[in-house]
Amino acid sequence: MSIGLHNSEFKNPVVRWIDQRLPVFTMMQKEYGTFPTPKNFNYFWNFGALAMVTLMIMIATGIFLSMHYAAHTGLAFDSVERIMRDVNFGWLIRYVHMNGASMFFIVVYIHIFRGMYYGSYKAPRELLWILGVVIFLLMMATAFMGYVLPWGQMSFWGATVITNLFSAFPVVGNYIVELLWGGFSVDNPTLNRFFSLHYLLPFVILGVVFLHVAALHITGSNNPLGVEPKGPQDTLPFHPYYTAKDSVGLVVYFIVFAVLVFFAPNYLGHPDNYIPANPLVTPPHIVPEWYFLPYYAILRAVPDKLGGVLLMFGSILIWFVLPWLDRSPVRSMRFRPLARLFFLLWTANFLVLLWVGAKPAEGTYVLIAQIATAYYFAYFLVILPLLAKFERPLPLPESISRPVLGGGPLPMGAAAKPMEKA
């Protein structure tokens, strides 16, 4: 009677019955149970799982908020206030969603910077990296549209400034702006469009995340040493080892998340967004959310509008070609002292851009932004290509197991001592 059915190895009769007809449990066991992973992961490898959990939280809270939100310029601000004051636990759902966006960007930034430091973009993981950059761009679009929905002062003027940037493109710029607005100014059609897209894009992100994880499970995970596993001695099954390790990171993450939600829910927001949108009153200093500030600083560092817009978009698009800009055969910067130094400087430079993006575009702040922007692009276009030619990396260990078990970094290809072989 079992002809044509999948041969399930699960003992539970209900699970086996389902798995024989739709082998989802076998697939989960293969991909998240026995899946071999390098045995030397550190806690920086937790942040991919944290990003996935945060995405689920954002989708769930967003669905509940959409039940009470009114996408109309005359009602949007009051509907958000009603959620906060009258809906049961509406304040909690909104604060989780609002601060969840910041937490999402924090874990994704760490996830991206970890990939840069350990060379996770290098062959054969180029497509995995590119899908990650696509996810980041979709996150930025989703977050920007979500920031507009409360229809406060910063929502309205932020939408006006950012959408107007597209008018810098010759010929098609004004058509793009009118398409985004749904008219000739930021108004009710704009709010409706942004609400629809803000609701839709998280599910698009979820689809790209599925492709991202599928690509990861084809090529396998990178590791802190940047050395491919040589066999079973270099790997561990994902469960229970890394499910336990991810659980520890998840508990710490939820503690930080809870502290932010319950004790400082508005710390990362802007007070002007608690003022209803008024097209006749321009705020003295228009700024986007904090996670957009580095790119906002790059935009304002260039006097020319088109040049600033191109550099702003280019600062993200350049990540797509990073695997081909860094041609060094060594992945991990643990074995590339010069590359590590320049990367740490680039990270500090990114934080400088984040800081200066929140300052007025005047005086010394403009000069700092210009210097930081110059180094941002020089790192990718000049420093990394030159390092690949002139840097002399440290010797790599022969396997993952050797440094994990305390044997030290024996160079690749070097002969092991008889005692070590034993």
Side-chain angles (χ1 to χ4, degrees), residues 116 298 301 311 315 318-319 333 337-353 367-385 387:
M116 288 183 176
I298 292 173
L311 281 185
S315 63
I318 200 170
W319 292 1
M333 291 188 184
L338 281 177
R340 179 168 65 243
L341 173 63
F342 283 113
F343 175 75
L344 293 177
L345 288 174
W346 182 86
T347 304
N349 184 77
F350 188 86
L351 295 176
V352 169
L353 284 170
L367 178 61
I368 295 173
Q370 289 171 343
I371 295 171
T373 300
Y375 184 75
Y376 183 100
F377 286 97
Y379 174 78
F380 293 109
L381 299 175
V382 179
I383 295 172
L384 281 180
L387 285 175

Side-chain angles (χ1 to χ4, degrees), residues 179-191:
L179 180 65
L180 290 171
W181 286 348
F184 302 104
S185 65
V186 175
D187 209 334
N188 204 55
T190 317
L191 185 60

Side-chain angles (χ1 to χ4, degrees), residues 328-343:
S328 173
V330 176
R331 290 196 186 102
S332 177
M333 291 188 184
R334 288 178 62 175
F335 304 99
R336 302 177 62 193
L338 281 177
R340 179 168 65 243
L341 173 63
F342 283 113
F343 175 75

Side-chain angles (χ1 to χ4, degrees), residues 117-253:
Y117 183 83
Y118 291 112
S120 297
Y121 51 83
K122 291 178 179 285
R125 299 179 180 88
E126 301 96 331
L127 187 57
L128 174 65
W129 172 261
I130 289 171
L131 288 169
V133 178
V134 170
I135 292 170
F136 184 70
L137 286 173
L138 290 170
M139 282 177 56
M140 294 181 75
T142 306
F144 166 65
M145 293 175 186
Y147 190 50
V148 177
L149 300 187
W151 208 243
Q153 271 289 77
M154 206 53 63
S155 295
F156 174 83
W157 288 101
T160 302
V161 170
I162 299 302
T163 52
N164 257 311
L165 295 178
F166 291 94
S167 65
F169 293 113
V171 183
V172 298
N174 289 328
Y175 293 104
I176 295 174
V177 173
E178 290 179 11
L179 180 65
L180 290 171
W181 286 348
F184 302 104
S185 65
V186 175
D187 209 334
N188 204 55
T190 317
L191 185 60
N192 269 286
R193 292 173 186 218
F194 281 18
F195 175 62
S196 298
L197 290 172
H198 182 70
Y199 193 96
L200 171 66
L201 285 179
F203 298 99
V204 178
I205 292 173
L206 190 61
V208 183
V209 166
F210 177 82
L211 295 177
H212 186 64
V213 173
L216 172 67
H217 284 220
I218 293 296
T219 60
S221 296
N222 188 30
N223 61 84
L225 296 176
V227 177
E228 293 295 330
K230 300 296 188 295
Q233 72 276 9
D234 288 341
T235 61
L236 293 170
F238 186 83
H239 179 76
Y241 297 98
Y242 289 118
T243 50
K245 194 167 188 174
D246 284 349
S247 298
V248 173
L250 196 61
V251 169
V252 175
Y253 175 68

Side-chain angles (χ1 to χ4, degrees), residues 5-21 23-27 29-30 34:
L5 296 179
H6 166 68
N7 185 23
S8 177
E9 298 179 357
F10 290 94
K11 295 181 179 180
N12 185 291
V14 176
V15 172
R16 185 171 64 249
W17 186 88
I18 296 172
D19 198 58
Q20 285 177 334
R21 290 154 178 82
V24 289
F25 295 102
T26 296
M27 183 190 72
Q29 175 68 9
K30 177 183 176 184
T34 60

Side-chain angles (χ1 to χ4, degrees), residues 399-412:
S399 69
I400 292 174
S401 294
R402 183 176 178 82
V404 168
L405 298 177
L410 186 69
M412 294 284 285

Side-chain angles (χ1 to χ4, degrees), residues 102-115:
S102 291
M103 295 300 291
F104 201 4
F105 273 92
I106 289 172
V107 297
V108 168
Y109 273 132
I110 296 174
H111 189 59
I112 291 172
F113 288 6
R114 185 269 295 170

